[in-house]
Amino acid sequence: MTPQSTPPGPVIAALAAFVVLACRGPAQQDAQNGAVVAAADTLELVGPGTISTSANEFGVSVTADGAEIYFGRAVADGRMPVLRAIRAGERWEAPAEVPLLEDGVAIDPFVTADGTRLYFSSNAPLHPGDTTGDMNTWVAERTGNAWGAPRPLPEPLNSAGDEVFASLAADGTLYFGRSTPGEPRHFYRAAPREAGFAAPVRLEIDTGSARVGNPAVAPDGSFLVFWATTGEDGGGPPDLMIRCRTGAGWGAPWNPGPPVNSGQAEIAPHVSADGHWLYFTSERPGLAAPPLAGERPPGDIYRYPVSALRPGC
């Protein structure tokens, strides 16, 4: 989700202020019905008027068959529910809220390639009486066409810190971000085990002065997309960055530049299950309403062909 991805009390306000994102690209699309006109190397606004609207949309995940899309939206009552839309031909039907948790936020949805599990981040209580309010990774399993009651991942996958923005490689390896008080955010991976996951291992990635977040792994595990703040002091808006996985670890970060990055904030990447599309949220001007004075702008969801990135991984 956002560069800080911190939860509410005052947190919903913080999330809403920072998740407030927007953008527009050169894609040829129908804003009346949300149709997507495919292009080989063009930035595409996803579902204009249906998925990307004048509201604030952020974070996205798409099933392997491209038939379902999950994303977050800030709505009028101050909530930020996870929404689901179904593709009908070249159009997206009107999205509906996915009922997940009664307490806390539910953000950063990631649906597995087979469509059977939905991971997300929440600060909901882990058990009755829990008042810690930190962010944790939760998972819901599909029962028929509905999602069952979510459950938090066990320790040490969740900790006393904040765990956010989970994604899975095709081999079942879990990637996520974690931050603890007084520490910068780091990325972790946890190998799959028959009963779940092994203990997470921190990725040895030097971020310099930049802050980082939202690690999204490619299905084949060959590269990681994430946001990192720009500028010499790391105080600039976040750009999407790519690191290729090598035999020795992870290569140097690579900035794909425009049209993916715009000079304004780009966050919340997702690589489609077939490895063909990079989805993300941007703050460049677009369908989203102009920001209020002193606030960051809201955002829309875009996609761009991975082949046009040529990451060389």
Side-chain angles (χ1 to χ4, degrees), residues 105-310:
V105 297
I107 55 174
D108 307 337
F110 179 88
V111 62
T112 54
D114 62 6
T116 63
R117 284 169 292 150
L118 180 65
Y119 291 84
F120 61 96
S121 309
S122 179
N123 66 335
L126 296 178
H127 51 77
D130 177 21
T131 59
T132 55
D134 62 312
M135 296 293 281
N136 293 285
T137 301
W138 292 66
V139 62
E141 296 190 14
R142 191 192 293 267
T143 304
N145 197 39
W147 292 100
R151 67 181 189 277
L153 297 187
E155 294 182 354
L157 298 167
N158 284 321
S159 71
D162 289 323
E163 283 76 33
V164 294
F165 212 84
S167 66
L168 276 79
D171 67 0
T173 302
L174 177 73
Y175 288 74
F176 61 93
R178 171 181 287 167
S179 59
T180 54
E183 293 287 331
R185 188 182 306 281
H186 292 289
F187 300 153
Y188 289 77
R189 65 191 298 267
R193 291 290 183 267
E194 185 175 349
F197 299 97
V201 177
R202 196 174 99 181
L203 304 186
E204 294 303 323
I205 293 178
D206 180 16
T207 61
S209 60
R211 293 179 297 129
V212 298
N214 298 168
V217 66
D220 63 1
S222 64
F223 64 92
L224 197 68
V225 188
F226 57 97
W227 63 254
T229 53
T230 57
E232 291 184 5
D233 60 354
D239 275 352
L240 291 186
M241 306 290 285
I242 297 174
R243 281 185 184 263
C244 296
R245 191 173 182 184
T246 69
W250 297 88
W254 175 65
N255 188 324
V260 170
N261 291 317
S262 66
Q264 294 173 289
E266 277 74 42
I267 62 167
H270 167 71
V271 184
S272 62
D274 60 11
H276 292 168
W277 293 99
L278 170 65
Y279 290 80
F280 62 97
T281 302
S282 173
E283 287 188 357
R284 72 194 82 186
L287 291 179
L292 299 175
E295 291 189 1
R296 298 182 64 147
D300 302 311
I301 296 170
Y302 283 79
R303 72 175 190 174
Y304 190 71
V306 170
S307 60
L309 293 172
R310 299 180 179 85

